[in-house]
Structures are given as C-alpha cells and as structure tokens.
Amino acid sequence: MATAPTIDSAALDTLSVNTIRFLAVDAVQKANSGHPGLPLGAAPMAYALWTRYLHHNPRSPRWHNRDRFILSAGHGSMLLYALLHLTGYDLSLDDLKLFRQYDSHTPGHPEYGEAGVETTTGPLGQGISNAVGFAWAEAFLAATFNRPGYNVVDHYTYVIASDGDLMEGVSSEASSLAGHLKLGKLIVLYDDNKVMLSNDTAAAFTEDVKARYTAYGWQVISVADGNNVEEVAQAIADAKRDTERPTLIDVRTIIGFGSPNKQGTNKAHGEPLGAEEVKLTKKALGWPEDAQFYVPGEALEHFRAAIDNGAKWEAEWNDLFKKYKAEHPDLAAQYEAAFSNKLPAGWDADLPATLQPAGSKATATRDANNVALNAIAKHIPTMIGGDADLSGSTKTLIAGQPLFSATNRTARNLQFGVREHAMGAIINGLTLHGGIIKPYTATFMPFSDYMRPPIRLACLMGIGPIFIFTHDSIGVGEDGPTHQPIEQLAALRAIPHITVLRPADANETVGAWKAAMEQTGPSVLVFTRQKLPIYAPDGVIEGVSRGAYIRAEAEGGTPDVLLLSTGSEVSLAMAARDELAKSGIKARVVSMPSWELFRRQDKSYRDQVLPPSITARVAIEAASPFGWHEWTGAHGTIIALDRFGASGPYETVYEHLGITSGAVVSAAKALLGK
Amino acid sequence: MATAPTIDSAALDTLSVNTIRFLAVDAVQKANSGHPGLPLGAAPMAYALWTRYLHHNPRSPRWHNRDRFILSAGHGSMLLYALLHLTGYDLSLDDLKLFRQYDSHTPGHPEYGEAGVETTTGPLGQGISNAVGFAWAEAFLAATFNRPGYNVVDHYTYVIASDGDLMEGVSSEASSLAGHLKLGKLIVLYDDNKVMLSNDTAAAFTEDVKARYTAYGWQVISVADGNNVEEVAQAIADAKRDTERPTLIDVRTIIGFGSPNKQGTNKAHGEPLGAEEVKLTKKALGWPEDAQFYVPGEALEHFRAAIDNGAKWEAEWNDLFKKYKAEHPDLAAQYEAAFSNKLPAGWDADLPATLQPAGSKATATRDANNVALNAIAKHIPTMIGGDADLSGSTKTLIAGQPLFSATNRTARNLQFGVREHAMGAIINGLTLHGGIIKPYTATFMPFSDYMRPPIRLACLMGIGPIFIFTHDSIGVGEDGPTHQPIEQLAALRAIPHITVLRPADANETVGAWKAAMEQTGPSVLVFTRQKLPIYAPDGVIEGVSRGAYIRAEAEGGTPDVLLLSTGSEVSLAMAARDELAKSGIKARVVSMPSWELFRRQDKSYRDQVLPPSITARVAIEAASPFGWHEWTGAHGTIIALDRFGASGPYETVYEHLGITSGAVVSAAKALLGK
C-alpha cells in the first residue's frame, strides 16, 4: 500500500484544481453541450485522489495492479478527460477540444475502450455497481494468488458518485452486498452537492444517506468542505486504513463552484454555462478570462509526475512478480493465464461432444447446463459466477466449491441475493477487472428484465460475461405468468452485439456453452425447467456454433415445408415432422438456437439451411412471435404467444395456449393447401 | 380510523391462525407445487391484521375506501387465498383445492382481477413499490377531496414483504421516496424469517434493515415473536398512530413454523413439505393429521365477521358520502367522475385536431407532447404524473402546478427522483388504486430498460398508465450511445398487450396522445429531442388511431415502392419520396406510429395501406431492425441500426450511421432494379 506523498503547496493545489475545472468548462462550452457543474464542484476531490493516492500508470493504462477509478456520474465526463489528459494518458488537448464530437476520443459519456476509462458510465447507478465487481474481483484474485510477501494483487477501487447514482436501486443492491462481503478496498467519494438535474435534492432525496450506508456495514466519513483538498485527502487516508469495510466519503460540494450566477443551483448541472458566465466564473476564480483550454506549466508538471510515479510503481510490481514467479512458478503461470484474457488450452477437454445419446433419458437443459458448466469450470481456475438466490433451480453451482464470503475469499460460487440488477452490473465489473475468465450470472428468465441495463452495457462495451436464464417459457408451469417469460427472448435478441443461445436438448446445451465461451462479446444462455427428449447428437456442436442447422432432413428429398424452432419447441417440430410424413408431406426441421450466430454465416450456408425457394415455413416457439418474420418471410406461419402465460401444470398450459405439434401440422398443411 | 376490537380468546386466535396455515399447506401439497414456508410463518401477523385492523368488505371488494392489502411476497399466495376464502370473498374451498391449476382462481402468484387481489405480485420488490403508489394516491385524493368532517378518502395501505422484496433495488427506491413524501398511512410488515430460497439470509443479506428504513425517514417497530398475535397487533396499532411516517414492522418469524424437520430452514421455502411432513406438522400444531382443507366452524365464524363488519363500514361510508354530496356537490361529482374509471366528457375539448399547419416551424415531438398533455390535463383534475428528474427535458410538467410533496398534497406534478424502476412500480399502484385517471411517467427512452418489470406487469394486469419516453433515438446526439436507444423500441413492442406510439410530427403527437388516452391497457409514448418538420395534418388523428396510414400517396397512381417509417424518420421517407419522383419512381410513404394499433385493424384496411401486391418496400427507422420484417416481407430492405449509436451532433450521427433519405432512395432503386 502507498503512503501519501508529502503535501504540495496550497497554491499549486488551487492552480491544479482550477486547471481541471476550466478544461471542463471550456470543453463543455465549445461543444455547446455537456455538464459543467460536476467538474467544477468535484475537481478538488478528484485532484486529491489522483495526485496523492491513485496508483496508476498513464503510459500503461492496462497495468494489472493499478487502482481502478470509476466516474459513476458519467455525465461529468470532462472531469475524467481532464484528469486523463493532465496526468499523461494518451489524450491530447486537441482531443479535449473535440469533446462530444463524432468519432472523437472524448464522447459525451466515458466509453470503455478509450485509454484510462475502466467502464462505460452514464446510466446512473451502473458505475458504482460495476465498482463492487472490481473490488470483488480484487478480493478473489488477491486471495487466490497472493502469498506471504507477495501481494501481486493489491489495489483499491475508487468511485466518484452523484446523488443520482445513490438514488438508483441498483446501487442500493450493490452497496448492501459490498458491505456484506466486507469489500474494504472499495472507496466511494459521494459528490454531495444537494442539487439534481431538475431541482434541489430536497425535492426528492431527503433520506439520511450516511445512515443508510452505515446500515449496509460501510465505514462512512464526512467531508464538510469539498473545496478543502487536505480534508478530502485525510478522508481518503482514513478510508484506506479500514480494509474491513467499504467506505463512503460524503463530500459536501457546491455544484458549478465559482459560477457567480449558477453555482449551487441546477442551472449549473446539465448545460454549458454560456460564454458570459464562463468569463465571470474564470474571473471569480482568478483564471485568465479569455484563455481557452489553458494549462499552466506548473500545474501540468505537477500532474505529469504521475508518469514517473506510474513507471516506478509498475516497475516495482514487475520486480515483485518476477520474484513471485521464481518462488511460485505454478501460481504465476495461473496468474498469467488468468490475465491473458484467453481461454486456456484444454478448457473444453472434458466437454463431451455427446452429452447423451439419442433417445436417452429426457433431460432439462438446465441440468445439462450444470454438467457442461462444471466440465468447463474445472479447467479454468478463475472462472467464477453465481446466481440471485436461485442456485437450486438454475443449477449453476460449481461442484465442490463453497460460497464466496467475507471469510472465504477463494470460493468460486457467488451469491448475489435477490438482486438481479446489481448482479448484472457487478458481473460487468468482474469481467472488466481482468483476471476473471468468463464470469456468469444466473436467474429465472423473466427477471432478465431486471438486468437489462447492465446487459446492454456489456453489449455496448463488447465484453464477454455469460448471462444464464433458466425457466425459459410457459414450461415453468405452476408459477404462472409472472414467472413465464414471453417477450424476453425477443427483447434480448434485439440488443446489438449480443449472442443469445436457446438449445433444444442436452447435446445442444453443450454446443451452446461452447459457443458462449468462444464469444468475445456477451452471451445469453437460455435453459428449460422441464425435461426435453434427446435427439441424434451428430453434428450438433457444429450446428449450434453456426446458429441454425438441419436438425432432421425431410425424408425422401426436397422438403415441402420448413419447420423452424428453438429450444424446447424443437421437439414439437420433430413430432410434427413425423406426423406430416404420414400424410406424405416432407418436412425439414431446422433448429435455430442462435439467430445471431446464424446471421453471421455466409449466404451459401444460410441458403442451404433455409432455401429461399421454400417459402412454406412454419415457426414454433413458446414466446412472442416478434422477430420471427425474418425467418418465415411473408408467407410463413408463426406459432407463438401473443399473450402472457398461465398458471398450471406445464403440459396443460402448452396445450391450452396452442403450442403443440398438432398446431404445426395444421399450419403446414394449410400452407401447402392440403 | 378504527380502534382494535376487544381481544378474542387466545385459543380462538391459535385455531384461526392454524386454519390459515393448513389451508396453505394442504393446497401446496395437493398442487405439489408452491411455497408453504411463508404462510406457516406469517399467518399470525396476517391474522392480526386481517381480523383486527383491515377495513374491507369481502362482499364488495372494490369499495373505494377499503384498506389496501398487498402481499408483496407473492410466492406466499396461499396465505392470501386462505384469508380471502375465510373472510368471505368469492373464493370457495373448491377454488383453494384448485391451487395452481389451469384457469383456476388461485394461480401460482396472486393475479390482479381475482376478487380481493389488489395487484399482481411475484416478481420481488414490485408489490411493496406498488404500495407506495397506493399510499400516494390516497394522500393525493384525500387532500383533494376531503373536507372538514368529511374524510371520504381515508384508508391505510398494508403490505407483507419478504427479505427478497427488501433486497431488490426497486423497493429501496420506492421506500426512500415514501419516507421523503411522509406517506404515513403505509404500513409494511416485514416477514423477517432469516431464510431465503437458496440459503439463510446470512449468506447474502446481513445489512441492518431497520437502520436502513430509519434512514429513509420511516418509523421502525420490532416484533420479537412473530407467533405472538398480541405483539403484532400492538405494533400495528403503533404504526397507525404515526401518520407522519410510513412504518416498517420487523416481525421476527420462523419460516415453515411447525414443520418438525424443515422449519427455520430453506427446505420449507419453495416446495411442498411432503405428505409425511405435512402430517408431522399438523401433529406438532395439534391439528387433525388426516384432515385436508379443514376449516373449524368457530374459526370460520370468527373470520366471517368480516362480512358484517365490511357491510357496516361501507354503509357508514355511504352515509358519509351522501352528506358530503349534499354539502359539496361539485366535489362529490368530481370524486365520482374520478372513481368512474372513465374519461370525463369533454376531456379532449382543447386537444386540437391540428396542432400546427403543414410547413410550420419544426417542432420536437417532446414539445408538442407538452401542449397535448396540458390540453388534456386541464379537463381531468385527477390526472397526475411525473418524471425521474428530467422534467426540463421530457417536457411533461402540468403548467401552473407545483410538485407534490410532504407539504403540498394536492399538487399534480410528481417528482420521482432518479428512480425509474420505482417510478414504474409506483405508477402501477397509482393506477390500481382508483380515482387517478391515466397517470403517466416520463424519462429518457434508454432508461425504459430500468422500468421493464413494472411495464410488463402493467401489460399483464391490463391497466392503463401512460409511459412517456423522450430522447428516442440517435437524435439525442452528443450524449452518445449510453443515452441513445436502439433496441428499446423493439423490446417494448414485443410485450403482449402494449400499445407503443412513436409519432412523426406535432400533429401525430396529438393523435398519439388521443390514442393513448383511449386505451384500456398501458401505452408507451415515444418522443424526439430534435425538431421535426410538420406535414399536412389532414386525416392524421384518424391515421394515428389506426396505427399506420398513407402519409403521402405516390404521385401519379399505383406506387412502385412503399416507404415505411415511424417518428423522426418519416421526414426522411418524405424526402426520399420527392427524390424518387425525380427519377420517375412512384413511392408511397406510410407512417406507422403504432404497429400494435395497425395489427388490430381489419385486413382490408391493412391491405389498403400495405397492398400485398407491392413487395418493393423500404423501411427506415433509427433503431434496431428487429421486427421490421413483419412489414417489409422477405424482399424488402430495412434501413436501421444493427449497432449502438455514437456521440456527436445528431445530424452528423445520422449521416455517419446511414440513416438518411439518400439511403432510402438507393434502397428503393436497388429493389426496383434501377
């Protein structure tokens, strides 16, 4: 752990803080768009953190053991960009001048992928919840890899959060869990400026935030004057000392500080100050009124000390790791594999090409999922994951592993409690941290709705967690419509960059897991509660990897009709095919576990599976019909659910809601005029 | 307010409590599905509440002034069904025997529409958050309609909630707001049994719940022995006395109480006890071991006192209302109109058929929205709504109205803070309460993701709140991809029973509001941030009401190509039409503000707008292409976004992402081989 460097002169502090402030103000003004109020108010705390505590290496932004900094209040993005530029990241003054312009490195909200940006923020509550994932990853990796004398994983996770972040329920969930897990190296600076976008916080947010965080088991520290760099610095030092509890530092700030006509009000929040007010603000804070993007040399030099410091810290860590590697070669190799962000060789050595032979005992895909997950997890020591209090149902526990807890920090099964939204945001943090390979979450599919914001962000960032949803249709049965997903499949498939996989039997489940592991972006695995028959396993793994394939060819040549389906309804299509054969109708069954993977195939493969000349097509899926026209075309028939489900034994529900092989047979005959 | 009746004999209490318990146990056992643990543990508190405090009328379940009871922990549905049966609602013992069977009145989770069920629960956190809406409605309506001596609106809202409810972020948001608003007639009984589905709560939920609720500004009362009816009763009495603060009663219970081998563990949570354990439990609690669905006569008689009490309470209220009507005839008429659940005559008297003439000043639909909303709201005194801290951007304030607050209880503008999820759940409660006509919410469209669980429940219940989402595309511009919806339109359109409306200009906005008001189910209104040109207003209101219509016919007869679009992209289709005309290509522009309304039209109208013979079709929408094949067929072209947006001035973003009239022109020409 670092100790605070000797204290700089107050004048240099002020100069440096104002440099941050006016880079932000000028950039917002030039873009004529953005949020000046947060950088003006929060610059001192950010300055204290970045110059006195943050262990990072601007010239090596992905150094594993850096402290993580997350601007949860992403609308204050210019605060972060100013810090990144000033401390020497690859972000020029010209980049700052392109704030919020198309294709710039300084988009409206911080975007993962830009140097020094740990996670995409903007949707409130996400960043602070990601941070819980970062801190969790650190705790797990530290316990897993550190050995006496070798704290190769040892860093803090810092957050600046706003009132909006703390109003959002996802942060409540994540914070409760962080307290429960005693993630003591998580430190949140709360920019407590008493102003939200539309009004003072008095209009909506009068709870006792500090008491709430104390109730979560956090250390809570108050900073009465957010402009007092020393007071903030002391608070951070105190926060770091308590490694048993996460810390909330409530920093009382003034939004838009310095703006004579707008500070302390929501007028400073979400729009440029205006040219005249910019001048008045500069005047008020003793800044050259007409200078734009002005960076005093002393301030720059002071900030750029981060470059040498960072190089030194990383070099020290490299030395440490070298010795660690000599003393603990196996562990070091595991560490390097974990941080390589690649699947280790042999990860699928125990994943059978055939989990079950054709005609073997009917198996729920959630159960096959458990076998596949465990076959994979045994080869990837830092693959971890968990569920929202449904492990007995989702079947996603790693065998032989206890639950990760405040006292067991190497356990690989995570328990999120009934907190789906935080689970999603935390898994994003676990993924982003590095060192964790393919973390996964699990809950019932209807509750994917609770997790959509982080699923979207995973897609936007292009990171690769695996989201498992079981109980994937009216096949849930007795629990009824609240627990039976209908529109969730369509809603998930509609997200850009996602890969959704809904396997049809135990063998397709193996293929689905394999495909999910091989995606760089996020995957969604969708499994049944109910048991499904097992079909011929030949070619299934490859078929699934291509998204859709011929599950059963029409007997006797060119098909008259194509039967398209996914998951549990493939068995209905198979039964319909046999029934149609009795009437001399040749039906091909196409299993389409992943529309996204299928779209990525070349046209010749797609046309081979779904020949354009065959327009008689029947699709069946126990879900919303929304989206199926892409595959059935204008002339096909879609057997699906334009309604919610119903409570009852699942076979009865399928029957009453018309999701049957008989319906497929009738539709096929009608299409063929027979 | 009621006073507690004289205390019954302890023996009768125990007999009655056990009657509830074993109806639940037997029903779960018979269904071989369900959750016995909650009813066994929570029966005493439910008994105390229902027999000593709850003002309701089993034979008149919709009596306006009843206390509302919400079982937020919907998985314990048999607790509620037992109470409804025993107190005399239209729910027979035979109905209980059909628990969780198809088409029964006793589905797996409580469903709105069944007598005595105030709201559909099951997805955790929703019920308690709905309850905040119920209490909010009561506070608003009481302040609006009550006059000295005439508390015509005067009831409590009671909740039984579980640890899962309190782990969910939505309940944190709603509870913080309830404390802020001092909704003192909201009383939550927390079934604190220390056991969740997969484990003890010690595995995930160790925060100090009571301290957290105190931090929210709630009164918190502890009941050490949840089996002690008197202790619970006293706590409820104390809760009722404090009308300044909502109350959380932390009732320590034992899940599965009485079950010798399962009580106090998660084995009692989510599955039947098993026939043998049922017997053992009955034996342990002194119940006839072999009796099924046994209701002792004394217990039934005791519970059924609710019928006479209810009749008396409602009669008293009817008398009060009669006198109120005599003394305050105008108010009483307003009250009756409010509770009629119908739009008042003349509600649209100020809604212009043409908001702006063709070619008039370009207007953002969010601005037209403000005009339309206000034109309607002036005629509906109990139409209220609000936003998640974005009123300056969503333009959804009712003019001249302050914010509803702890001190202004008649104001019609609601401020939810940055709490989208709770906003959705609360608006469901406001709608369900009755007396509030067409309440609405507003936020930016990407954050519809935060609200999906309550939007889904509104659709499932078939209730009619209006969800407004502005900033509906990449037209948001500089805020970038986190704030630019892409998949949200498709994801919303996929929900059964929803009506999504995305108007193309100011006049369509009027039509969209009109259509939304006339829906019995929920509507989603989708508006732009950016300004849009105004087209000929003739026939627009009717066109919107039909979901899609010919916005501009092809010049010179039968169209060569159909240009399909919604919202802001209709103007691109219009420009493309003009451009195509220069090449002699006849293009019809079809505006499709609501796919759902269009699907509900008869075939002849649909074929008139989209003639099946014209297969050259180009769709353009600045959103995911997902779902558009339904309208373009296999041969059409969809110009949409298979990616996320980008930060920059919106015109630039449109151009770079290819959402342009030029793209429509090229696609149309390509389709026509020109």
Side-chain angles (χ1 to χ4, degrees):
Chain A
M1 285 187 291
T3 52
T6 49
I7 303 303
D8 243 309
S9 83
L12 184 57
D13 287 348
T14 303
L15 188 76
S16 302
V17 167
N18 284 338
T19 303
I20 297 171
R21 283 181 169 134
F22 289 109
L23 283 178
V25 163
D26 286 340
V28 169
Q29 191 61 37
K30 184 164 195 298
N32 196 28
S33 174
H35 295 252
L38 185 143
L40 283 169
M45 71 174 89
Y47 167 77
L49 174 62
W50 277 62
T51 59
R52 303 196 189 176
Y53 296 100
L54 197 72
H55 271 214
H56 62 134
N57 187 353
R59 296 294 156 90
S60 174
R62 310 296 297 166
W63 170 41
H64 301 165
N65 202 41
R66 69 193 180 279
D67 288 336
R68 268 61 168 183
F69 173 78
I70 294 164
L71 182 65
S72 191
H75 55 273
S77 54
M78 265 312 303
L79 175 70
L80 177 57
Y81 299 148
L83 289 162
L84 291 172
H85 167 68
L86 291 169
T87 56
Y89 284 78
D90 185 15
L91 193 73
S92 69
L93 208 55
D94 283 341
D95 288 326
L96 300 193
K97 291 175 185 170
L98 290 170
F99 180 53
R100 291 188 160 228
Q101 303 310 300
Y102 186 81
D103 217 19
S104 77
H105 294 290
T106 48
H109 292 80
E111 293 182 20
Y112 175 70
E114 301 294 340
V117 178
E118 300 284 0
T119 180
T120 296
T121 53
L124 291 168
Q126 297 299 324
I128 182 174
S129 306
N130 294 160
V132 174
F134 279 95
W136 197 336
E138 199 268 350
F140 169 78
L141 294 167
T144 302
F145 291 114
N146 291 352
R147 290 296 179 269
Y150 296 106
N151 283 348
V152 293
V153 180
D154 183 10
H155 71 78
Y156 285 82
T157 299
Y158 295 102
V159 178
I160 290 182
S162 64
D163 50 80
D165 287 306
L166 301 190
M167 277 188 261
E168 291 285 5
V170 61
S171 68
S172 299
E173 295 175 10
S175 298
S176 174
L177 199 49
H180 168 74
L181 295 172
K182 299 192 191 298
L183 299 177
K185 291 166 84 177
L186 171 63
I187 297 174
V188 176
L189 295 118
Y190 167 31
D191 177 31
D192 184 7
N193 58 33
K194 309 289 183 205
V195 174
M196 50 190 205
L197 192 63
S198 67
N199 213 318
D200 293 347
T201 54
F205 190 48
T206 52
E207 62 167 58
D208 184 340
V209 172
K210 291 184 276 194
R212 173 157 67 94
Y213 271 80
T214 302
Y216 291 143
W218 287 46
Q219 174 181 213
V220 174
I221 300 172
S222 295
V223 170
D225 178 6
N227 278 327
N228 186 329
V229 170
E230 300 309 323
E231 197 183 347
V232 174
Q234 184 59 50
I236 298 172
D238 294 344
K240 289 184 68 174
R241 261 196 304 277
D242 186 339
T243 55
E244 282 288 302
R245 294 178 294 172
T247 299
L248 181 81
I249 305 177
D250 183 326
V251 187
R252 181 67 175 98
T253 60
I254 295 166
I255 194 170
F257 178 76
S259 163
N261 299 299
K262 298 191 171 181
Q263 74 171 14
T265 77
N266 69 330
K267 287 183 215 153
H269 199 310
E271 56 188 28
L273 294 177
E276 193 51 39
E277 189 71 10
V278 168
K279 283 195 181 184
L280 293 174
T281 307
K282 288 177 176 171
K283 190 176 174 189
L285 296 184
W287 207 248
E289 286 174 54
D290 293 316
Q292 308 283 324
F293 295 94
Y294 171 54
V295 179
E298 311 92 295
L300 187 63
E301 189 187 352
H302 176 47
F303 278 113
R304 291 276 160 99
I307 297 175
D308 286 347
N309 285 336
K312 181 171 72 74
W313 289 324
E314 184 164 347
E316 287 167 2
W317 184 85
N318 286 338
D319 283 348
L320 180 76
F321 193 80
K322 203 170 157 188
K323 290 174 194 153
Y324 173 73
K325 198 168 178 174
E327 195 158 338
H328 302 285
D330 290 352
L331 263 181
Q334 269 190 32
Y335 175 100
E336 285 172 333
F339 278 89
S340 72
N341 202 25
K342 284 180 197 146
L343 298 177
W347 69 271
D348 57 353
D350 284 290
L351 204 59
T354 301
L355 191 62
Q356 292 185 218
S360 60
K361 198 176 163 208
T363 303
T365 51
R366 63 171 168 155
D367 287 311
N369 153 59
N370 180 263
V371 178
L373 164 61
N374 273 285
I376 295 167
K378 69 191 282 193
H379 292 286
I380 311 181
T382 65
M383 183 178 182
I384 64 180
D387 65 282
D389 190 28
L390 289 170
S391 54
S393 302
T394 59
K395 311 292 178 86
T396 43
L397 290 178
I398 299 179
Q401 284 282 326
L403 289 183
F404 181 98
S405 70
T407 51
N408 186 340
R409 289 221 175 311
T410 58
R412 293 167 60 194
N413 285 315
L414 315 184
Q415 172 53 264
F416 293 92
V418 189
R419 304 183 181 100
E420 298 85 2
H421 195 169
M423 178 167 73
I426 289 170
I427 213 75
N428 284 350
L430 282 165
T431 310
L432 288 159
H433 181 278
I436 310 291
I437 303 281
K438 288 284 172 192
Y440 55 89
T441 65
T443 186
F444 289 167
M445 189 156 186
F447 309 136
S448 62
D449 283 354
Y450 282 68
M451 301 173 63
R452 280 185 71 85
I455 294 175
R456 174 175 222 247
L457 284 165
C459 292
L460 178 54
M461 292 189 272
I463 59 174
I466 296 175
F467 300 101
I468 301 170
F469 298 116
T470 68
H471 295 56
D472 73 341
S473 76
I474 51 173
V476 164
E478 289 87 347
D479 272 342
T482 56
H483 284 54
Q484 293 167 347
I486 299 289
E487 72 278 19
Q488 281 75 9
L489 261 178
L492 289 164
R493 286 169 176 158
I495 307 177
H497 307 173
I498 206 166
T499 302
V500 178
L501 293 132
R502 185 172 188 247
D505 68 5
N507 296 314
E508 279 200 9
T509 299
V510 173
W513 258 106
K514 199 163 193 301
M517 293 296 291
E518 287 167 345
Q519 299 305 308
T520 52
S523 304
V524 173
L525 291 171
V526 176
F527 299 124
T528 64
R529 171 178 188 267
Q530 76 272 27
K531 291 179 177 160
L532 303 179
I534 311 294
Y535 294 99
D538 316 317
V540 162
I541 302 289
E542 196 206 329
V544 174
S545 76
R546 296 188 144 213
Y549 66 106
I550 301 170
R551 171 75 270 185
E553 184 51 293
E555 271 183 53
T558 310
D560 301 314
V561 60
L562 306 180
L563 309 182
L564 318 180
S565 191
T566 81
S568 40
E569 288 70 62
V570 170
S571 64
L572 302 178
M574 294 291 278
R577 171 179 168 275
D578 294 349
E579 189 63 27
L580 287 166
K582 292 181 194 163
S583 308
I585 296 172
K586 291 175 283 181
R588 169 189 291 183
V589 174
V590 176
S591 178
M592 306 187 70
S594 174
W595 296 8
E596 300 79 22
L597 291 179
F598 186 56
R599 285 198 203 100
R600 293 173 208 154
Q601 304 306 306
D602 60 28
K603 187 171 186 313
S604 73
Y605 179 76
R606 284 185 281 121
D607 287 353
Q608 181 193 324
V609 176
L610 302 178
S613 60
I614 306 177
T615 59
R617 300 177 179 194
V618 181
I620 182 165
E621 189 171 58
S624 166
F626 199 86
W628 267 106
H629 285 92
E630 180 175 354
W631 313 112
T632 60
H635 307 290
T637 301
I638 302 164
I639 297 168
L641 294 164
D642 259 327
R643 54 161 288 174
F644 289 101
S647 172
Y650 79 88
E651 302 90 336
T652 314
V653 177
Y654 264 88
E655 191 67 33
H656 277 279
L657 271 52
I659 308 295
T660 62
S661 60
V664 177
V665 169
S666 301
K669 287 183 175 172
L671 281 175
L672 298 170
K674 292 186 180 177
Chain B
M1 282 187 295
T3 50
T6 47
I7 303 300
D8 240 311
S9 81
L12 185 56
D13 287 348
T14 302
L15 188 76
S16 303
V17 167
N18 284 338
T19 303
I20 297 171
R21 283 180 169 135
F22 289 109
L23 284 177
V25 163
D26 285 340
V28 170
Q29 192 61 37
K30 185 165 196 300
N32 196 26
S33 173
H35 296 252
L38 185 143
L40 283 170
M45 73 174 88
Y47 167 77
L49 174 63
W50 276 63
T51 59
R52 303 196 190 176
Y53 296 100
L54 198 73
H55 271 215
H56 62 134
N57 187 353
R59 296 293 156 91
S60 175
R62 310 296 298 164
W63 169 42
H64 301 164
N65 203 42
R66 69 192 180 280
D67 289 336
R68 269 58 169 185
F69 173 77
I70 294 164
L71 182 65
S72 191
H75 55 274
S77 54
M78 264 312 303
L79 176 69
L80 176 58
Y81 300 148
L83 290 161
L84 292 172
H85 168 68
L86 291 169
T87 56
Y89 284 78
D90 185 14
L91 194 73
S92 69
L93 208 55
D94 283 339
D95 289 324
L96 300 194
K97 291 175 185 171
L98 290 170
F99 181 52
R100 292 189 159 227
Q101 302 311 298
Y102 187 82
D103 216 19
S104 78
H105 294 290
T106 47
H109 292 80
E111 292 183 20
Y112 176 69
E114 301 295 339
V117 178
E118 301 284 359
T119 180
T120 295
T121 53
L124 290 168
Q126 298 298 324
I128 182 174
S129 306
N130 294 160
V132 174
F134 278 96
W136 197 336
E138 198 267 351
F140 169 78
L141 294 167
T144 301
F145 290 115
N146 292 352
R147 290 297 178 269
Y150 296 105
N151 284 350
V152 293
V153 180
D154 182 11
H155 71 79
Y156 285 83
T157 300
Y158 295 101
V159 177
I160 291 182
S162 64
D163 50 80
D165 287 305
L166 301 190
M167 277 188 259
E168 290 285 4
V170 61
S171 68
S172 298
E173 295 175 10
S175 298
S176 175
L177 198 50
H180 168 75
L181 296 172
K182 299 192 191 298
L183 299 177
K185 291 165 84 179
L186 171 63
I187 297 173
V188 176
L189 295 117
Y190 168 30
D191 177 30
D192 186 7
N193 58 32
K194 308 289 183 204
V195 174
M196 51 190 203
L197 191 63
S198 66
N199 213 318
D200 293 346
T201 55
F205 191 48
T206 51
E207 62 167 59
D208 184 340
V209 172
K210 292 184 275 192
R212 172 156 68 94
Y213 271 80
T214 303
Y216 291 144
W218 287 47
Q219 176 182 212
V220 174
I221 299 172
S222 295
V223 170
D225 178 6
N227 278 326
N228 185 330
V229 170
E230 300 308 323
E231 196 183 348
V232 174
Q234 183 58 50
I236 298 173
D238 294 344
K240 289 184 69 173
R241 260 197 304 278
D242 186 339
T243 56
E244 282 288 302
R245 293 179 295 171
T247 300
L248 181 81
I249 305 177
D250 184 325
V251 188
R252 182 67 176 96
T253 59
I254 295 167
I255 195 170
F257 179 76
S259 163
N261 299 299
K262 298 191 172 180
Q263 75 171 13
T265 76
N266 69 330
K267 287 183 217 153
H269 199 309
E271 56 189 29
L273 294 177
E276 192 51 38
E277 188 72 8
V278 168
K279 282 194 182 185
L280 294 174
T281 308
K282 287 178 178 171
K283 189 176 175 190
L285 296 184
W287 208 248
E289 285 175 53
D290 293 316
Q292 307 282 325
F293 295 95
Y294 171 53
V295 178
E298 312 93 295
L300 187 63
E301 189 188 353
H302 177 47
F303 278 114
R304 289 277 160 99
I307 296 174
D308 286 347
N309 285 337
K312 180 171 72 76
W313 289 324
E314 184 164 348
E316 287 168 1
W317 184 84
N318 286 338
D319 283 348
L320 180 76
F321 193 80
K322 203 168 158 189
K323 290 175 194 153
Y324 172 73
K325 198 168 177 174
E327 195 159 337
H328 302 285
D330 291 351
L331 263 182
Q334 269 189 34
Y335 175 100
E336 285 172 332
F339 278 88
S340 72
N341 202 24
K342 285 181 196 144
L343 299 177
W347 68 273
D348 58 353
D350 284 290
L351 204 59
T354 301
L355 191 62
Q356 292 184 216
S360 60
K361 198 176 161 207
T363 303
T365 50
R366 64 171 167 155
D367 287 312
N369 152 59
N370 180 263
V371 178
L373 164 61
N374 273 285
I376 295 167
K378 69 192 282 194
H379 292 285
I380 310 181
T382 64
M383 183 178 180
I384 63 180
D387 65 282
D389 190 28
L390 289 169
S391 55
S393 301
T394 59
K395 311 292 178 87
T396 43
L397 289 178
I398 299 179
Q401 283 283 326
L403 289 184
F404 182 97
S405 71
T407 52
N408 187 339
R409 291 244 191 277
T410 59
R412 294 166 60 194
N413 285 316
L414 316 183
Q415 172 54 263
F416 293 91
V418 189
R419 302 182 183 100
E420 298 84 3
H421 196 169
M423 178 167 73
I426 289 171
I427 213 74
N428 284 350
L430 283 164
T431 311
L432 288 159
H433 180 278
I436 311 291
I437 305 279
K438 287 285 171 192
Y440 54 90
T441 64
T443 187
F444 290 167
M445 189 156 186
F447 309 136
S448 62
D449 283 353
Y450 281 69
M451 302 172 62
R452 280 184 72 85
I455 294 174
R456 173 175 222 247
L457 283 165
C459 292
L460 179 53
M461 292 190 271
I463 59 173
I466 296 176
F467 300 101
I468 301 171
F469 298 115
T470 68
H471 295 57
D472 72 342
S473 75
I474 52 172
V476 163
E478 289 87 347
D479 272 341
T482 55
H483 284 55
Q484 294 167 347
I486 299 288
E487 72 279 19
Q488 281 76 7
L489 261 177
L492 289 164
R493 286 169 176 158
I495 307 176
H497 307 173
I498 207 166
T499 302
V500 178
L501 292 133
R502 185 173 188 245
D505 67 5
N507 297 314
E508 279 200 9
T509 299
V510 173
W513 258 106
K514 200 162 191 304
M517 292 296 290
E518 287 167 346
Q519 300 305 308
T520 52
S523 305
V524 173
L525 291 170
V526 176
F527 298 124
T528 65
R529 171 178 187 264
Q530 75 272 29
K531 291 180 176 157
L532 303 178
I534 312 294
Y535 294 99
D538 316 317
V540 162
I541 302 290
E542 197 208 328
V544 173
S545 76
R546 297 189 140 209
Y549 66 105
I550 301 169
R551 171 75 270 187
E553 185 50 292
E555 271 183 52
T558 310
D560 301 313
V561 60
L562 306 181
L563 309 182
L564 318 180
S565 190
T566 81
S568 41
E569 288 70 63
V570 170
S571 65
L572 301 178
M574 293 291 278
R577 170 179 168 274
D578 294 348
E579 190 64 28
L580 287 166
K582 292 180 193 162
S583 308
I585 296 172
K586 291 176 285 181
R588 170 189 290 183
V589 174
V590 175
S591 178
M592 306 186 69
S594 175
W595 296 7
E596 300 80 23
L597 291 179
F598 186 55
R599 285 198 203 101
R600 293 172 209 156
Q601 304 305 306
D602 59 28
K603 186 171 186 313
S604 73
Y605 179 76
R606 283 185 279 121
D607 286 353
Q608 181 193 323
V609 176
L610 302 178
S613 60
I614 307 178
T615 58
R617 301 178 180 194
V618 181
I620 181 165
E621 189 170 58
S624 166
F626 199 86
W628 268 106
H629 285 92
E630 180 176 353
W631 313 113
T632 60
H635 306 289
T637 301
I638 302 165
I639 298 167
L641 294 163
D642 259 324
R643 53 161 288 173
F644 290 100
S647 172
Y650 78 89
E651 302 90 335
T652 314
V653 177
Y654 264 88
E655 192 67 33
H656 278 278
L657 271 52
I659 307 297
T660 63
S661 60
V664 177
V665 169
S666 302
K669 287 183 175 172
L671 281 176
L672 298 169
K674 291 184 179 177

